[in-house]
Amino acid sequence: MLPPNRDYPTSRTRDAGQTMSAFMSRVYLWMMVGIAISGITAYVVASRPDVVMYIMQNVFIFYGLIIFQLVAVVALSGWVQRMSLGVASLIYALYATLVGLTFSVLLLTYTMESISTAFFTTAFAFAGLSIFGFVTKRDLGPIGSFCMIGLFGLIGIMIIGFFVPSLMSNGMQLAISVIGLFVFAGLTAYDTQRIKGLALQFTDYDQTRKGAIYGALILYIDFINLFLIIFRLMGIRR
């Protein structure tokens, strides 16, 4: 009697691992492309202070940029698989460009040293958190749920603070920043694990490529929010 063939499960596991690694590589590549687009846009626009001031002083343009960013996120999150790959890529690039436009004011208001320090601090923190989310065997779902509750709580406080400015004292702003740091740290690890789980759900190559853009968008948002919080704690005005 021939011994049972034990190569098939090993081969299947290896193929699944390769598929997951290829998918996550695509996700991180798209995320880095988005960050590069935002950084280049912010730098180019900041070289024209008159353009930055025009954007900031024109309420309709400034809030229009914010609204278009929200629309792009909703469109990609809800309908990315119904779009063509070209349209999904274009919307993602447009979103990153709009974020860069709104970030251009930071380059004029704060020192480059503090911006660079905050960026590299964020990059190292994000890398560690994302690696943890990728390799851990522990289910991070409860952490993700807890962080989402915290996120909605912070949004609620900031909305109230918009109408009641006296609520947003220096101490309150510091507390919001610290809590937000923990919230997005948890979300970074959770989202990485969640996106990793998507790798084997797509049935064809086109779906996988569009799924990578969706995953990149989620991690890009986590990175940007981590950067804003760290920058709020470390930023030094000119």
Side-chain angles (χ1 to χ4, degrees):
M1 180 182 294
L2 294 175
N5 186 351
R6 301 183 184 278
D7 292 336
Y8 175 66
T10 303
S11 176
R12 184 170 57 185
T13 302
R14 187 186 306 116
D15 290 342
Q18 291 174 349
T19 299
M20 189 177 300
S21 296
F23 177 74
M24 291 304 294
S25 296
R26 228 178 250 116
V27 169
Y28 287 123
L29 177 60
W30 272 108
M31 190 199 80
M32 289 188 290
V33 167
I35 292 172
I37 291 174
S38 297
I40 293 171
T41 302
Y43 180 81
V44 171
V45 175
S47 65
R48 294 288 306 275
D50 55 325
V51 175
V52 177
M53 294 306 298
Y54 180 76
I55 293 173
M56 298 305 298
Q57 293 175 356
N58 192 310
V59 177
F60 292 104
I61 292 179
F62 179 77
Y63 284 104
L65 291 175
I66 302 299
I67 292 172
F68 279 126
Q69 289 176 38
L70 293 175
V71 170
V73 170
V74 171
L76 281 176
S77 298
W79 299 290
V80 65
Q81 290 297 341
R82 300 180 184 178
M83 304 174 183
S84 67
L85 179 62
V87 171
S89 303
L90 181 62
I91 293 177
Y92 177 76
L94 177 62
Y95 172 69
T97 302
L98 294 176
V99 172
L101 282 174
T102 55
F103 273 26
S104 60
V105 67
L106 298 179
L107 299 181
L108 293 180
T109 309
Y110 293 85
T111 65
M112 285 301 300
E113 289 184 356
S114 65
I115 294 174
S116 299
T117 301
F119 177 82
F120 286 111
T121 301
T122 303
F124 282 116
F126 180 90
L129 291 163
S130 192
I131 290 172
F132 171 75
F134 184 80
V135 302
T136 185
K137 302 299 183 182
R138 178 183 177 185
D139 179 17
L140 299 180
I143 293 177
S145 299
F146 181 78
C147 289
M148 286 301 298
I149 293 172
L151 177 60
F152 284 115
L154 289 177
I155 292 174
I157 292 173
M158 289 188 287
I159 291 175
I160 295 173
F162 180 80
F163 294 101
V164 187
S166 59
L167 178 66
M168 304 303 288
S169 63
N170 291 336
M172 177 62 76
Q173 293 184 36
L174 178 61
I176 290 174
S177 296
V178 172
I179 295 172
L181 187 63
F182 284 103
V183 165
F184 280 101
L187 286 176
T188 297
Y190 164 71
D191 285 334
T192 300
Q193 186 180 75
R194 181 166 64 95
I195 292 166
K196 173 186 171 183
L198 296 176
L200 303 178
Q201 295 183 14
F202 302 113
T203 58
D204 59 53
Y205 184 63
D206 191 56
Q207 284 186 350
T208 301
R209 295 171 73 186
K210 289 186 286 188
I213 295 176
Y214 168 73
L217 173 70
I218 300 303
L219 293 184
Y220 172 91
I221 292 173
D222 289 338
F223 183 94
I224 290 298
N225 280 284
L226 268 177
F227 170 74
L228 286 174
I229 293 168
I230 292 174
F231 180 75
R232 192 176 296 126
L233 295 170
M234 302 177 62
I236 300 174
R237 290 182 175 272
R238 293 181 182 275

